[in-house]
Amino acid sequence: MAIREVVALFDDEEEMMDTIDELECKGFDRSEISILPPLDEVEEALGHQVDDIHEAFYDPKTPRMFPLDYASWGDAQGVLIAAPFMAGAFAVTIFGASTGMTLMNTILMAVLTGSVGAVFGYLIMFLLKKRHKDEVDDQIDRGGLAMWVHVRDTAHARRAIRIFNRHHAHDIQFRVGG
């Protein structure tokens, strides 16, 4: 059976994410939606530098990935801050209890150590967000953020195209392939 998909490019990540949300609200399964991974992964898979997203956009060998939703990003950020805080505070609490530190000193050390851990987690989160922003900006500079949506039939494809148009996508196409 031939693969049918609607493809498009976006110049804004928020518009792309809003498009994904609307697609899901209008009956598309998240597993039917894929986006272009970071360009270094694409270039490694294709074996050459991608100067224009259109090259990768039209190449069937281009790798794809499932988009991460905003809630998952938020969860990951929370874990990056909370986990080091909890690990540091827990370790100091065990140390304080096993060495006979006073309760007040143990609490102060746990809060201090946990806070240092949270700052470390925040820095990691900040670096990851910056890296993601740089990757998104790089794709936009080279032509746009690519999205593919598998469709079941023509009516499904028309619905996807209308949603893409509402969210300012460009280079929208319906493709049928093997």
Side-chain angles (χ1 to χ4, degrees):
M1 182 170 177
I3 296 172
R4 292 188 292 263
E5 60 187 4
V6 175
V7 299
L9 293 172
F10 292 85
D11 292 328
D12 181 273
E13 183 183 27
E14 191 169 325
E15 279 292 343
M16 184 178 76
M17 297 307 289
D18 290 345
T19 302
I20 292 168
D21 289 344
E22 185 173 347
L23 285 165
E24 288 182 299
C25 287
K26 301 288 182 174
F28 290 83
D29 191 89
R30 193 165 195 82
S31 66
E32 297 173 311
I33 304 167
S34 57
I35 61 173
L36 193 68
L39 285 174
D40 56 345
E41 292 177 33
V42 174
E43 290 172 344
E44 184 177 326
L46 297 178
H48 62 84
Q49 184 172 335
V50 176
D51 294 321
D52 184 349
I53 291 296
H54 292 89
E55 296 172 38
F57 189 56
Y58 296 114
D59 191 335
K61 295 180 206 144
T62 297
R64 301 174 185 190
M65 69 180 211
F66 292 109
L68 189 63
D69 59 37
Y70 285 129
S72 296
W73 264 111
D75 291 347
Q77 291 173 24
V79 167
L80 281 171
I81 293 172
F85 178 88
M86 296 300 292
F90 186 68
V92 167
T93 302
I94 290 174
F95 175 77
S98 66
T99 61
M101 284 175 57
T102 65
L103 180 60
M104 185 55 78
N105 283 342
T106 301
I107 291 171
L108 289 173
M109 289 295 291
V111 169
L112 179 64
T113 304
S115 297
V116 169
V119 168
F120 181 70
Y122 177 80
L123 290 174
I124 292 171
M125 179 191 69
F126 177 79
L127 293 172
L128 287 174
K129 285 176 81 172
K130 181 175 178 349
R131 178 178 169 199
H132 175 77
K133 183 186 178 325
D134 291 346
E135 289 169 350
V136 166
D137 289 347
D138 189 25
Q139 286 186 21
I140 291 170
D141 289 346
R142 296 190 203 189
L145 302 168
M147 182 191 300
W148 296 263
V149 178
H150 289 278
V151 293
R152 296 180 280 276
D153 54 34
T154 305
H156 205 224
R158 275 192 225 121
R159 196 170 18 178
I161 291 168
R162 280 194 303 273
I163 292 168
F164 280 154
N165 280 321
R166 269 197 296 279
H167 291 281
H168 312 291
H170 56 91
D171 296 312
I172 302 168
Q173 298 176 11
F174 174 70
R175 293 190 197 157
V176 178

